[in-house]
Amino acid sequence: MRVLITGANGFAGKNLQLRLREMADIDIDTFTRADEVAALESKVAAADAVVHLAGENRPADPADFDTVNADLTRSLCDVIAQSGKQVPLILSSSTQAALANPYGRSKLAGERAVEALAAGGNPAVIYRLPGLFGKWARPAYNSVVATFCHNIARDVPITMSDPAAVVQLAYIDDVIDDFIAVLQAPEAGLRRREIDPVYRVSLGDLAAKITAFRDSRQSLVTERVGTGLDRALYATYISYLSPEAFVYDIPSHGDQRGVFVEMLKTKDSGQFSFFTAHPGVTRGGHYHHTKSEKFLVIKGEARFGFRHMLSDARHDLMVSGERPRVVETVPGWTHDITNVGDDELIVMLWANEIFDRGRPDTIASKV
């Protein structure tokens, strides 16, 4: 399949191009501001599908709304109709097409052109998209997410006229997923599709979320970035980091035994750290009432010792970095770890809760 992308150098166009290049059976052609409208005829003739992303939303001259959003779309539809073949068309419209402003009216005019093309049976899909966010959107242009991410990542102030104002947002990867699904299964005539999910968030909450991402490098406490809006927003935020900010320091605590380094803390699923031990060194020697831990020896050889606090029963485990095995501590058993090898011992550690100095649940007791 050969896909023609108009507006290919824009935010959505860049993301779509990258995704399509990952697919072995897709060839890409582009139409950008550098191309003349007359070039559409040859490009459409060679295309198997068209994704029409070209649009104007912040022109210096309001007349350009119609020139791009309406007139260019009409020209594209005319070329497809005159091509003598069916060319599936995806139109990126806007939720503002329902509004009586110059931008909304121009997008609605573009929709009408696509509707007329589809009336003759040509496959066409219209998306009325909310505000989009994701990597490569231009800050200080038309994306509040891009502006907030760019500024907060650089400690540049942000402004909000009304922090309680709610915006509707869709993540660019979700949009591209749906575009690709439509390209792979065209249907005759007109369809209207909506992106799912669409997120609703106030500007104040949006700024707070992004600020928390920045601050997590100091607190080491990560936000819940595994699902939903926070997942997409975090991926967007870090895409605005400068290359110099790809790395950051974390505290390291060392003594004669080795070092202990906390890497990451979560709000409700504990924390991750690692420690080292020199040959012959024993670390630990304590028990917990509730806290549990998982140890993974990355390098070296270790002996884990356990003793039951009531029965005095004992148990030893030998673990080596050459065979990945997780050793789990159990409440009511005091435990320690000894480097029994000739090299430095390196151990990864997960604890199910963040260490609380006021209530550590860590009671010293020799094994």
Side-chain angles (χ1 to χ4, degrees):
M1 179 188 295
R2 186 173 184 83
V3 179
L4 171 62
I5 305 171
T6 72
N9 291 338
F11 161 49
K14 291 175 181 176
N15 278 273
L16 178 59
Q17 284 194 72
L18 182 60
R19 289 287 300 278
L20 292 181
R21 287 204 300 267
E22 297 165 5
M23 303 171 67
D25 57 346
I26 299 290
D27 291 321
I28 300 170
D29 194 5
T30 64
F31 181 89
T32 70
R33 293 180 187 274
D35 292 304
E36 299 291 336
V37 175
L40 284 174
E41 184 174 353
S42 61
K43 289 179 178 290
V44 167
D48 299 303
V50 179
V51 182
H52 185 35
L53 304 175
E56 189 66 76
N57 49 29
R58 293 188 66 175
D61 183 352
D64 288 341
F65 280 134
D66 284 330
T67 301
V68 178
N69 298 337
D71 295 344
L72 178 61
T73 305
R74 292 190 191 100
S75 297
L76 174 62
C77 290
D78 288 344
V79 170
I80 292 174
Q82 295 164 11
S83 69
K85 63 176 184 176
Q86 304 251 304
V87 183
L89 172 64
I90 292 175
L91 173 67
S92 170
S93 186
S94 167
T95 54
Q96 291 202 42
L99 303 180
N101 57 47
Y103 174 65
R105 285 193 293 268
S106 68
K107 297 300 281 187
L108 182 60
E111 290 185 12
R112 295 290 181 257
V114 173
E115 290 171 356
L117 174 68
N122 194 89
V125 178
I126 296 175
Y127 290 85
R128 283 191 174 179
L129 298 173
L132 303 184
F133 71 100
K135 62 185 182 296
W136 305 331
R138 193 196 318 177
Y141 182 61
N142 67 337
S143 168
V144 64
V145 175
T147 302
F148 281 9
C149 287
H150 177 272
N151 287 14
I152 290 171
R154 290 160 178 76
D155 294 322
V156 174
I158 59 173
T159 59
M160 290 175 278
S161 57
D162 180 8
V166 173
V167 292
Q168 296 189 70
L169 302 169
Y171 183 46
I172 190 62
D173 282 14
D174 295 329
V175 174
I176 301 304
D177 281 345
D178 213 83
F179 283 180
I180 291 174
V182 166
L183 287 171
Q184 293 175 330
E187 297 179 12
L190 179 69
R191 287 185 288 163
R192 290 182 174 271
R193 287 179 69 91
E194 296 182 355
I195 296 299
D196 182 42
V198 171
Y199 302 106
R200 292 175 52 85
V201 60
S202 72
L203 292 177
D205 286 346
L206 180 66
K209 286 177 180 291
I210 298 170
T211 300
F213 297 154
R214 179 198 65 190
D215 293 348
S216 68
R217 287 188 165 194
Q218 295 297 319
S219 68
L220 302 185
V221 179
T222 184
E223 298 299 300
R224 298 178 178 88
V225 295
T227 59
L229 174 60
D230 285 2
R231 171 182 176 270
L233 198 58
Y234 183 69
T236 303
Y237 168 72
I238 59 175
S239 76
Y240 287 89
L241 296 175
S242 64
E244 295 77 17
F246 288 178
V247 63
Y248 61 100
D249 294 327
I250 54 178
S252 176
H253 309 281
D255 56 26
Q256 70 278 8
R257 299 172 299 171
V259 299
F260 176 76
V261 179
E262 293 176 304
M263 174 192 171
L264 182 71
K265 302 177 182 180
T266 71
K267 292 186 173 182
D268 51 16
S269 297
Q271 67 178 65
F272 296 86
S273 56
F274 79 89
F275 63 84
T276 67
H278 302 306
V281 166
T282 297
R283 305 194 69 144
H286 56 244
Y287 65 91
H288 313 294
H289 291 290
T290 304
K291 180 186 296 186
S292 62
E293 300 159 318
K294 295 179 185 287
F295 295 86
L296 176 63
V297 172
I298 304 297
K299 175 187 175 184
E301 298 179 7
R303 181 183 68 240
F304 285 84
F306 295 86
R307 178 175 60 84
H308 195 277
M309 293 306 298
L310 294 185
S311 69
D312 218 30
R314 295 172 183 269
H315 185 68
D316 285 345
L317 290 170
M318 300 297 294
V319 181
S320 168
E322 295 182 359
R323 179 187 176 187
R325 303 175 75 192
V326 170
V327 177
E328 189 155 22
T329 65
V330 177
W333 288 76
T334 189
H335 49 272
D336 62 20
I337 178 172
T338 303
N339 183 349
V340 295
D342 297 326
D343 299 320
E344 181 182 49
L345 178 68
I346 303 176
V347 182
M348 182 178 177
L349 166 63
W350 170 82
N352 72 308
E353 58 190 41
I354 294 177
F355 183 73
D356 182 354
R357 294 188 181 278
R359 193 177 180 185
D361 189 16
T362 302
I363 302 92
S365 181
K366 291 184 178 181
V367 174

